[in-house]
Amino acid sequence: MKVDWGCRDEVTEFVSSRLGFSRGFSDCQTAAIRDEDGSLVAGVVFHDWSPETEVIEISCAAQDARWCQRSVMQQVFGYVFHFCQMCVFRVHEDNKRTRRLIRAFGAKEHLIPRLRGRDANEIIMTLTDDDWFASKFLR
């Protein structure tokens, strides 16, 4: 897998369509994860950056679970923690696979009732630079 920085339109469309995020992403940076053939298999969008607090939100989607390799994660979070002290993920309460993966990075979970609507809770996951640098992904 190869990380391709940029390709903003391609990545935001890929991630938005898979997450059902019709509003899209405004001011953002992106990373395309490509397989050996150059096909887009995952996209990462870095958005809603707060320079005052050094916090950024990350949204991602994939069509191939193999994208989540140690070398890819090191590049993605290397970018994030070059200028941020924490990143935030918003995950549906029922998305156990994604929650397990982000917890493996060292993230903490915070349940917010009804954040996805009257009948749907959301998990806010926070990953600090300290927790990332102590994670098994950097060993």
Side-chain angles (χ1 to χ4, degrees):
M1 298 287 162
K2 178 184 181 299
V3 179
D4 184 6
W5 297 98
C7 310
R8 186 180 300 182
D9 292 341
E10 179 185 20
V11 173
T12 56
E13 172 60 31
F14 179 90
V15 173
S16 294
S17 67
R18 280 162 179 72
L19 297 182
F21 193 62
S22 60
R23 290 177 289 151
F25 298 95
S26 56
D27 189 23
C28 65
Q29 297 297 325
T30 61
I33 315 310
R34 300 189 185 280
D35 65 12
E36 317 66 57
D37 299 326
S39 299
L40 181 65
V41 296
V44 182
V45 180
F46 308 94
H47 57 96
D48 295 320
W49 179 45
S50 171
E52 300 82 13
T53 60
E54 299 178 331
V55 174
I56 198 164
E57 187 168 342
I58 298 176
S59 295
C60 55
Q63 62 186 21
D64 185 337
R66 293 177 304 141
W67 82 278
C68 193
Q69 299 172 356
R70 183 181 305 253
S71 62
V72 171
M73 295 300 100
Q74 288 173 344
Q75 290 178 66
V76 166
F77 289 112
Y79 169 78
V80 169
F81 293 125
H82 180 73
F83 61 91
C84 288
Q85 57 89 22
M86 184 172 72
C87 59
V88 175
F89 302 84
R90 294 171 51 136
V91 183
H92 192 284
E93 180 181 32
D94 295 337
N95 191 340
K96 296 184 186 325
R97 181 183 222 179
T98 298
R99 290 173 54 200
R100 184 177 61 247
L101 173 66
I102 299 171
R103 275 195 313 267
F105 301 151
K108 308 292 187 282
E109 291 187 333
H110 311 276
L111 174 78
I112 312 296
R114 298 171 65 164
L115 191 58
R116 287 201 173 220
R118 182 168 298 281
D119 299 317
N121 301 330
E122 186 159 68
I123 304 291
I124 301 295
M125 301 186 77
T126 58
L127 178 63
T128 65
D129 55 355
D130 294 332
D131 289 332
W132 168 250
F133 290 123
S135 79
K136 66 182 179 183
F137 285 86
L138 290 178
R139 290 187 204 136

